[in-house]
Amino acid sequence: MERTSGKKYIQNLVISAMLMAVGIVLPFITGQIPQIGNMLLPMHLPVLVCGLICGWQYGGIIGFILPLLRYALFGMPPMPNGIAMSFELASYGAIIGFLYNRSKWKCIVSLYRSLIIAMIGGRLIWGLVRVAMLGLMRNAFTWKMFMAGAFLNAVPGIIFQLIFIPALMLTLNRTGLVHFHKKKKECI
């Protein structure tokens, strides 16, 4: 039993490290045109996938570290936005990992449910951190700023996440890395 748990731990560390590397590199690909990079939310993808595959602890840690590490290495995302982004991404990874891995049935319905709740939860956390940070700097964070930053400017990335992540998970199901239940009535 101990051997299996040690193997799973190593597997989660390796997958988390690979997804961290993807999160560091992916913004270079999408960030050549900043407006497109900001809309596609490239660092969100590996964090959400990490939470799904490795669990909430790994997803939360990778999500928190990734923006700070990218800032330390490349000066992006700019501060203080990177701090709010760290809390946002940590929320994504932790929420999706917690909800999906606690689902009675691992299936596309529980995947979408977990993904949508994590996306909303992460954006709410981002908004709360921005309110706190701007309040400390004696600036107002308006409802309009929240809606633009959390939803309106991010619509292409949100749509991409809703398509790409389930497609990736279904592909990983075929490889045996993740497992879905097949019966529809078990999935509801």
Side-chain angles (χ1 to χ4, degrees), residues 54-96:
C54 301
W56 70 270
Q57 304 94 328
Y58 294 91
I61 291 169
I62 296 302
F64 191 80
I65 293 172
L66 184 56
L68 301 175
L69 181 59
R70 280 204 91 247
Y71 177 77
L73 294 172
F74 309 113
M76 291 300 286
M79 291 299 161
N81 296 340
I83 294 169
M85 197 173 179
S86 285
F87 284 96
E88 174 190 19
L89 293 181
S91 300
Y92 289 147
I95 292 169
I96 199 166

Side-chain angles (χ1 to χ4, degrees), residues 3-16:
R3 185 179 194 141
T4 304
S5 121
K7 182 179 176 184
K8 184 68 174 168
Y9 173 75
I10 298 296
Q11 181 182 22
N12 284 340
L13 282 178
V14 170
I15 291 170
S16 296

Side-chain angles (χ1 to χ4, degrees), residues 131 134 140-148:
V131 165
L134 288 173
F141 186 68
T142 65
W143 179 252
K144 186 176 178 180
M145 291 168 69
F146 171 73
M147 290 304 291

Side-chain angles (χ1 to χ4, degrees), residues 125-165:
I125 295 297
W126 172 81
L128 291 172
V129 172
R130 292 293 293 160
V131 165
M133 289 172 52
L134 288 173
L136 291 173
M137 296 186 305
R138 303 205 189 278
N139 293 327
F141 186 68
T142 65
W143 179 252
K144 186 176 178 180
M145 291 168 69
F146 171 73
M147 290 304 291
F151 297 103
L152 301 178
N153 298 339
V155 167
I158 291 168
I159 293 168
F160 184 69
Q161 289 170 6
L162 290 171
I163 295 168
F164 177 77
I165 291 174

